[in-house]
Amino acid sequence: MCRFVCGNDGSINVRPPAVCPTIVMGQGRNPGLCHTPFVAQHELRINCRLHEIGTGDLAGAAETHGTCGALAQVELKQISKSFGATDVLHEISLSVPDREFTVLVGPSGCGKSTLLRIVAGLESASAGEILFDGRAVNELSPGQRNVAMVFQNYALYPHLSVASNIGFGLRRSKLSRTQKRAAILDVARLLEIEPLLSRRPSALSGGQRQRVAMGRAIIRDPDVFLFDEPLSNLDARLRMQMRAEIRALHRKLPTTTLYVTHDQIEAMTMADRVVVMNAGRIEQIGTPSEIYNSPRTKFVAGFIGMPSMNMIDARLEDGALAVGASRLALSSNWHAALAGHKDRNLVLGLRPEHLRLRTDSTGLPAVVDLVEPTGSETLIYLHHDALHLCARAAPETDLRTGAQVYLDLHLDRAVLFDAQSGLALPRPEPTFATSGELA
């Protein structure tokens, strides 16, 4: 059935399923069924008066399909999961607004795929509640939840053609053969795989197989798309291409999406919001920029970013940070933020781009261990006493292993963590002044 959203101009936005409309309006609380092929626009605007929909019909449609304007909000409340005596998820709470592209990212074994399978209905939660548009779906089967999942291994039927794989979900529908063919063709055009419809999966590249898997999900017009590490089997160049294609597809068909990956680059480049998980718990939720620039925990700071954030053991002494035998001066705005942390062990976090090479002999002395030119930049690995660091430099930087250099630490961009809890300390507003010289 179509899902109705009230427009401010007295019209209705009808978000059709994959095989849609001429719309045959039902009576009372039954909003009607759709009987024509999929449309790429994904939404039809229908004037209330033109189709003689009364107030009662509209109220019924809204009651049946959720609050107007919120088509597929996913909410997880205190979700826990145990396999025997092993707890893999610990009271996960998360709200995904309608049409948002949310990425779950974390190391292997953190519980992100298990959480996705619970949302899909392929696993049951040991505790907690799953809500779609405010309605509990814990007891519903995957088919009743109206979700579509794209798997890492594509899960295509090898004996069926591309067209048959895409249209497999329509086999139990009441559509005519002509209507099914039209729907398949529309999806193939959307994904630019129309010339491949007669091929078998064995005759396709990895990227083409992934498009077919996405087409099979799209044709169902689900309330929620679920992606479980769909690009893991592709090479680096193809992953980059498919990242762009999936985001472009989401702009064309803005459906609520949960995407699981262990690849931080996928998370940072694709997500509206990133959910960082570790050991069955959510460490932080935020935009890619928030996650990168303002990590809330030491784990997030070390996991997000390539190369990862430099972690430097330090101690606050007399308004300066003691790092080994060196002391780093802090600007005055840091003093108020760290007033309660005197003589405590801290961890100083600095991104590689916030360590700058100096041309003079002031700054933190270090010795070059390795130089990695990447074309667009040069990564320089160094050590200061027993402390190992990484700095980003311009691509034309010419250094050799063993060279003596000096580092300017941009402490206005630093994140300080409590050494015991691993939590980030309050940070003052950044200043344009460069600090970090030796005290």
Side-chain angles (χ1 to χ4, degrees), residues 279-290:
R281 292 181 170 85
I282 292 177
E283 293 272 339
Q284 186 173 352
I285 303 172
T287 65
S289 177
E290 290 169 347

Side-chain angles (χ1 to χ4, degrees), residues 86-322:
T86 304
D87 297 329
V88 294
L89 293 175
H90 307 273
E91 299 184 347
I92 298 291
S93 293
L94 174 66
S95 181
V96 182
D98 175 49
R99 304 188 180 195
E100 183 175 87
F101 196 109
T102 299
V103 175
L104 306 177
V105 64
S108 297
C110 71
K112 55 189 184 296
S113 289
T114 300
L115 184 61
L116 195 74
R117 290 172 64 84
I118 288 174
V119 174
L122 301 177
E123 295 277 359
S124 60
S126 301
E129 196 173 25
I130 308 159
L131 305 174
F132 285 8
D133 293 337
R135 183 171 63 108
V137 298
N138 294 57
E139 303 303 321
L140 299 184
S141 68
Q144 292 172 314
R145 297 185 190 196
N146 193 26
V147 299
M149 196 161 182
V150 179
F151 298 92
Q152 177 180 349
N153 62 355
Y154 318 130
L156 301 178
Y157 296 101
H159 63 290
L160 297 181
S161 67
V162 167
S164 297
N165 268 286
I166 291 175
F168 191 83
L170 302 180
R171 293 179 64 173
R172 297 180 61 184
S173 71
K174 297 180 180 180
L175 300 172
S176 69
R177 187 171 298 178
T178 300
Q179 290 169 335
K180 290 178 182 178
R181 279 200 297 264
I184 292 168
L185 192 60
D186 282 340
V187 171
R189 288 187 184 126
L190 180 67
L191 295 170
E192 299 180 358
I193 54 174
E194 193 176 355
L196 310 177
L197 288 176
S198 60
R199 295 189 190 179
R200 300 282 177 87
S202 59
L204 304 178
S205 67
Q208 290 168 340
R209 292 180 191 180
Q210 196 57 269
R211 290 190 192 96
V212 175
M214 289 191 293
R216 186 176 56 191
I218 290 169
I219 203 167
R220 296 181 52 205
D221 186 46
D223 291 329
V224 181
F225 278 123
L226 305 175
F227 290 85
D228 189 9
E229 305 203 38
L231 308 184
S232 296
N233 293 338
L234 306 180
D235 61 51
R237 181 182 293 274
L238 195 50
R239 281 201 303 271
M240 183 172 63
Q241 177 184 339
M242 289 303 298
R243 287 200 304 263
E245 290 188 10
I246 291 174
R247 281 301 284 165
L249 181 62
H250 185 261
R251 286 193 292 271
K252 294 177 184 176
L253 306 177
T255 303
T256 307
T257 301
L258 273 171
Y259 185 105
V260 161
T261 181
H262 64 272
D263 187 337
Q264 57 173 289
I265 301 300
E266 288 180 28
M268 297 294 287
T269 57
M270 299 176 69
D272 295 324
R273 280 194 310 160
V274 178
V275 179
V276 183
M277 295 185 63
N278 180 40
R281 292 181 170 85
I282 292 177
E283 293 272 339
Q284 186 173 352
I285 303 172
T287 65
S289 177
E290 290 169 347
I291 295 290
Y292 187 81
N293 294 311
S294 302
R296 292 182 182 174
T297 68
K298 186 179 172 183
F299 172 82
V300 174
F303 185 79
I304 298 295
M306 188 60 68
S308 62
M309 179 179 280
N310 294 292
M311 297 295 181
I312 305 169
D313 291 333
R315 188 174 179 83
L316 183 62
E317 297 178 353
D318 298 326
L321 284 178

Side-chain angles (χ1 to χ4, degrees), residues 3-7 9-14 44-48 53 58:
R3 297 187 293 281
F4 295 79
V5 186
C6 300
D9 56 358
S11 64
I12 301 177
N13 290 331
V14 181
L44 299 181
R45 180 170 288 277
I46 298 179
N47 187 276
C48 296
I53 303 175
L58 192 58

